[in-house]
Each structure stands twice: as structure tokens, then as C-alpha cells.
């Protein structure tokens, strides 16, 4: 099966989600994470935990430096979705390095958003979400997703992590962190 057929299986055949979450192609892992969130089934929480741990071990952020994106203002996921973005590199890289660069934090973000969609978590999974907020090198889109997930599954121990994340200068992270703090503080007052 080609990549896109496997991605479609993630939405049509939930019984294969755990298998797809371990696939070599990041696009298939991404689809599996999204598919788990779509089911809303908490049985996927251990698989999402393992997926996040595996993704943290991949070389996602030690990528080659991009000199620019002709035709785009900067490196944003939205720009990549709206227009064809061709990065200009310092020098040529092998295809596998460029493929890893394309993934960046996408699979991790999808897995974290799946936790949010499921609306439940595990203690060790919440620990990973808080660690994402505390990691200075983590992608802002993953941090914003972690804040969003913690707004639903977090507890009082998440507040300090969210408050530190609130100090970072990134709009989406600020919005999701503010909402999460409001939700957690509101739950504590109830």
C-alpha cells in the first residue's frame, strides 16, 4: 500500500491504528494520531504515550538551517498549507534529512491534540505534556497543543508549567495557555 492508502486506513479501520502509529513514514504516524483522536476512545492513550516517547527520540529539531522561503514571509505551518513553500538550504542535503525536516513537530502535535480530543489522559501522559511546555527547544505548535490538551486533562500540578509557558512570546501558545489556565483555575474554584 502506498502512503496515502495507509493514511486513509487510519480513518476507516480503527483496529489498525496502533500498527500505523509505528510506521516508518511520518505521514502515516500523523494520520494514526489524528485517527485516534477522532475515535475519542481512551484505549488509545497508552499508544499515544508511546508515540510521543518515540517521536521525542527522533531527530526532529536538529535540522539543517533554512536560509529562507521564497514567496513566503517565514516558516509557518499555515504558509505551508496555503502555498507551495520551497525552503532554500545552506547546502544540499540527502532526501531522508529533508523528509525529517518536513515532519518537524507535526506527529507530536497530532498526538497531543488527540489527547485533547479524547478528553482524558494518563498521569505519565500528563507528565509528557508538561515536559513539552518546559522544553525550551520544543516547537511552539507542539507547546500550544500541549496547553490545549492540559486545559481538558490537566490538574493543579499543570498550572506552574502553564504559567511559565505564558511568558514565552508566541501568539498561539499565549492564547492556548491563557485558556488552559482559566479552565484549570475555574475547575479548582468549582
Amino acid at each position: 500500500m502506498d502512503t496515502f492508502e495507509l493514511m486513509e486506513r487510519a480513518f476507516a479501520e480503527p483496529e489498525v491504528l496502533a500498527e500505523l502509529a509505528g510506521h516508518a513514514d511520518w505521514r502515516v504516524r500523523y494520520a494514526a494520531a489524528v485517527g485516534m483522536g477522532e475515535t475519542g476512545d481512551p484505549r488509545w492513550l497508552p499508544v499515544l504515550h508511546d508515540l510521543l516517547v518515540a517521536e521525542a527520540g527522533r531527530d526532529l529539531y536538529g535540522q539543517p538551517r533554512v536560509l529562507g522561503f521564497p514567496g513566503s514571509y517565514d516558516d509557518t505551518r499555515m504558509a505551508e498549507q496555503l502555498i507551495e513553500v520551497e525552503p532554500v538550504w545552506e547546502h544540499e542535503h540527502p532526501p531522508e534529512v529533508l523528509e525529517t525536516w518536513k515532519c518537524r513537530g507535526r506527529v507530536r502535535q497530532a498526538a497531543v491534540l488527540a489527547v485533547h480530543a479524547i478528553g482524558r489522559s494518563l498521569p505519565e501522559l500528563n507528565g509528557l505534556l508538561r515536559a513539552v511546555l518546559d522544553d525550551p527547544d520544543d516547537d511552539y505548535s507542539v507547546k500550544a497543543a500541549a496547553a490545549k490538551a492540559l486545559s481538558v486533562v490537566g490538574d493543579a500540578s499543570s498550572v506552574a508549567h502553564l504559567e511559565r509557558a505564558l511568558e514565552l512570546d508566541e501568539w498561539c501558545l499565549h492564547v492556548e495557555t491563557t485558556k488552559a489556565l482559566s479552565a484549570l483555575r475555574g475547575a479548582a474554584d468549582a
Side-chain angles (χ1 to χ4, degrees), residues 41-102:
D41 190 337
R43 74 179 163 143
W44 298 119
L45 294 172
V47 178
L48 289 165
H49 173 271
D50 293 347
L51 179 58
L52 285 168
V53 169
E55 291 300 308
R58 296 182 193 279
D59 183 21
L60 300 175
Y61 303 109
Q63 302 299 317
R65 190 164 97 70
V66 177
L67 297 177
F69 298 87
S72 175
Y73 295 106
D74 60 9
D75 175 18
T76 65
R77 299 224 182 336
M78 185 56 74
E80 291 178 79
Q81 292 171 11
L82 297 175
I83 61 174
E84 183 70 29
V85 174
E86 281 296 322
V88 176
W89 307 98
E90 291 179 296
H91 53 81
E92 283 197 40
H93 298 282
E96 61 273 6
V97 170
L98 299 179
E99 191 62 23
T100 301
W101 179 84
K102 289 177 186 176

